Amino acid sequence: MTWQDFARIATALYNELRKRGFHESDIWTLINLYFTSDAYRNVPEPKPGEEDDA
């Protein structure tokens, strides 16, 4: 994972959680958990030509 991938995923997660009404400290806790649990590794890679929703 490149730093650009990390930044894109973290930004998308942050924006989605803010939109859903989460508080700032909870958002960072969840993002930290997402990456430290390696959950991002279980996300399927987009197929060539697919648009990213973020």
Side-chain angles (χ1 to χ4, degrees):
M1 171 181 287
T2 67
W3 69 267
Q4 292 96 339
D5 294 332
F6 175 83
R8 180 182 50 80
I9 292 168
T11 300
L13 286 170
Y14 179 87
N15 290 336
E16 184 63 28
L17 292 169
R18 282 298 282 178
K19 186 168 64 175
R20 293 177 184 231
F22 283 81
H23 295 285
E24 184 98 11
S25 62
D26 294 334
I27 291 171
W28 293 117
T29 299
L30 290 170
I31 290 174
N32 186 39
L33 179 61
Y34 181 75
F35 284 103
T36 58
S37 70
D38 288 336
Y40 67 92
R41 294 177 188 250
N42 296 326
V43 176
E45 292 292 322
K47 293 181 179 96
E50 283 186 347
E51 290 295 319
D52 190 6
D53 291 341

